[in-house]
Amino acid sequence: MENWPEQWRTLDHGIRSGRYTDPEFTRLEHKNLWSRVWQMAARLDEVPEPGDYTVYDIGHQSVIVVRVDRDTVKAFYNACPHRGTALAENAGSFENCRIICPFHGWRWGVDGAVQYVLERQQFRGGKLADSDVALREIRLEIFAGFIFINFDRNPKPFDEFIAPVRQLIEDLAIGDMHPIWWKSVTAPANWKVAVEAFLEGYHVPATHPQLETTSAEFIYGDDVTREVNFSHADHLYETFPNGHGRFLGGQKTPMAGHTTAAGDPVEMMAARLNLLVEGMDAMILKEDVELVRSLKGKPIPEGSTLGGEYVKALYGTAAQQQRPMPKLEREVLDQWGGEVFIFPNLMVLPQAGNAMMYRVRPNGSDPDSCIFEIYSTKTYPAKQPVPRAVVQKMTDASDPEQFLQIPRQDFSNIPRIQKGLHTNGCKQVWLADYYEKMILNMHQEMDRYLMD
Ligand code: FES
Ligand SMILES: [Fe+2]
C-alpha cells in the first residue's frame, strides 16, 4: 500500500513499533480487523441454561451472547432499538427468558423477537413493524466449546477460517474441556504485546528461570564459556494460513519422560511437573503429579519409557472415571505442553485431559491497554456436574494473592515492553526467523485485513 505509514509496516524480520503505540493504528484495527474477523466471544459453559447470557465487549462494540434453548445460542448487539440503552451487563440470566430494557421497559424474547412496546401506536405513525425493533443479530458459530462471532454481515466462512487448526483442536478434546477457574485482568500494554508474550518459548530461560535452571544460570551467571542446551531449541514452530500457528515442546519435555540431571526419574519428573502446579495451577494438575508419583518403584516394560507409562496411567484412570481425553496418538500427545494459536487472539495450551487458554483483546480504543484472560479447563468425569463458567475480575497482575508465579513473571514484562516501544529509541522490533515466526505470521495476516 503506497501511503501506508512507515511506522506501521510489517518487515521481513521485524515489526515497526507504531503498530503497538499509535492510536490511529488501533482505530484501523477496530475498523478493519475486529469488525470482520471471527473472534471468541465466550465459552459455551458461560451460558449453560436457556436465558443465561454473557456480555462480550470489543472496542466500542458490545454483544449479548444468550442461550435460547438447548440447541441454540444467539448473539445480539447490546443496544435497545428504542433509544440505545445497553440491555445487559456482565453475565447472568434473563428471568423467564425475557429481555427487558431498564429505561422504558420494552421487552424481547431471548430469540430477539420483540414482545412488548409501551404505547406502541406512538411509534412510526402507528405502523411500527416487529422487524423494526427486533434485536440486531450477529453471526455466530460454535466450535470446540467456543462461541465465535463475526460482526461482518458477509464474513469469510467460519469453516474456511478455522480449517488449518480444526483437526488439532478436535483431537485435543478441547470441546470437552470445562472450567476449573477463569480470571481476567487489564494490562497496561497493547493487546498484541500481550498475545506475543505467549507465542514463543524463547523467553522461558530469562523470564521463568525456575523452569529452566541450567539455561537461566547461563543467562544470569558469569560463566559464558560452557555449552548450554536451551530447551527452546527443541521446540517446533509451525505457521498456518489465516494467521494461525502452533508450537510443540518436542521430544525433550518432561511429558515425554525426559529428565536432565541425575536422580530418581520419577521424582524428577514429578518435581518438574509440580513447578507448573505451584506456578500456574493449570496445565498440570495436582492429581497428575500424584499419578506420576504412583509409578515409583514400578518397572518400566521394555520398549516403554517413564513418559509412556505416565500416559498409560492417565488414560487408564480417565477411562475408569469416564472422562473424555485427547486422541491417543503420538502426534496429539506431542502437542501437550505446546500451544495452538487461533488468530488473532486465542491461545490454547493443551495437556493431559486439561488445557489452559488465553484470550487477549484491546480495552476500548486505548492502544496502551488490553484485557487479558486465563482459563484453566479440564474434562470432567461423565457423571460429575459441570459448573457454569464465571470470570473472576482481578485488579493487579503483580499481586501474588491474585496470580501465581508463572503468569506474574509473564505479566511483569508486558508493561515494560509497552514502555520501551513508545520511546524514540525503538523504531522496530526484531523477530527470530524461526522461534518468533508465529508473531510475524500473525502480523502478515493482520495486514490482509487492515489494508483491504
Ligand atoms: S431505551 Fe430501551 S425501552 Fe427506551
Ligand atoms: Fe511465559
Side-chain angles (χ1 to χ4, degrees), residues 181-195:
W181 53 263
W182 168 27
K183 292 179 180 182
S184 88
V185 70
T186 59
N190 189 264
W191 67 275
K192 298 186 292 301
V193 165
V195 169

Side-chain angles (χ1 to χ4, degrees), residues 79-85 87 100-108 123:
C80 177
H82 178 217
R83 299 257 297 275
T85 312
L87 294 169
I100 300 173
C101 179
F103 198 176
H104 309 94
W106 288 22
R107 189 173 80 220
W108 297 263
F123 291 88

Side-chain angles (χ1 to χ4, degrees), residues 429-446:
V429 300
W430 289 100
L431 295 177
D433 292 338
Y434 184 64
Y435 302 115
E436 295 176 317
K437 72 175 183 173
M438 280 164 66
I439 298 175
L440 189 65
N441 190 52
M442 165 189 165
H443 282 263
Q444 287 168 338
E445 179 67 5
M446 279 184 63

